Amino acid sequence: MVTRYLLAAAFAALSIGTASAAEPPPGKVTVVFDRPIPNIPGKSMKGVVVEYGPGAASPSHTHPKTAFIYATVLEGAFRIKVKGQPEKIYHVGENFVEEPGSVHEVSANASDTEPARLLAVFVLDTDEKTLVTPIKK
């Protein structure tokens, strides 16, 4: 049940916004694991697969202030910009991190013709339920 709630919250957060021709289509988010870390009381690891169709993207967002995130590209290529760092395109096998409190300004499929997929692993407080919070403009 917790996994369903996390999945619903993450997907809703990634697809918030009014649809228009100028906005890219949203991505699909699937929680693939959620486990407490036995030797670090109060901390958990949550794995999330993010899939973007051609041209898809997420709005600017943040993650929980306690979350350290490691992500690796499984398919295609992602255009990523975390505040304070230059925008970069990551290809299959490449990875990036987001420090706690980071602002994820750009998260998009780098291709308009091919799908893209990545695995993001969150290390965060076990009681944290919301993985993604859109930034209101």
Side-chain angles (χ1 to χ4, degrees):
M1 178 146 158
V2 170
T3 301
R4 274 192 210 150
Y5 177 78
L6 287 171
L7 176 60
F11 184 76
L14 285 174
S15 56
I16 285 178
T18 56
S20 75
E23 287 187 27
K28 176 183 174 191
V29 177
T30 306
V31 176
V32 294
F33 67 89
D34 182 357
R35 302 269 319 232
I37 301 173
N39 61 337
I40 309 175
K43 296 290 183 181
S44 288
M45 288 181 70
K46 298 179 193 295
V48 176
V49 173
V50 178
E51 300 173 84
Y52 288 153
S58 297
S60 295
H61 59 273
T62 61
H63 299 287
K65 293 199 183 302
T66 66
F68 175 83
I69 303 163
Y70 164 84
T72 188
V73 179
L74 303 174
E75 176 183 7
F78 280 77
R79 192 166 46 87
I80 301 294
K81 178 164 182 11
V82 175
K83 189 172 188 174
Q85 299 175 12
E87 185 171 297
K88 183 175 177 192
I89 294 178
Y90 294 89
H91 300 275
V92 173
E94 294 182 317
N95 58 72
F96 61 93
V97 298
E98 291 184 50
E99 300 286 339
S102 294
V103 175
H104 199 149
E105 295 177 328
V106 175
S107 178
N109 185 337
S111 172
D112 288 330
T113 60
E114 300 294 325
R117 187 167 47 102
L118 68 75
L119 172 66
V121 178
F122 290 66
V123 176
L124 73 170
D125 287 351
T126 300
D127 61 356
E128 192 63 63
K129 303 298 181 221
T130 303
L131 296 180
V132 178
T133 303
I135 295 174
K136 296 175 181 159
K137 294 182 179 186

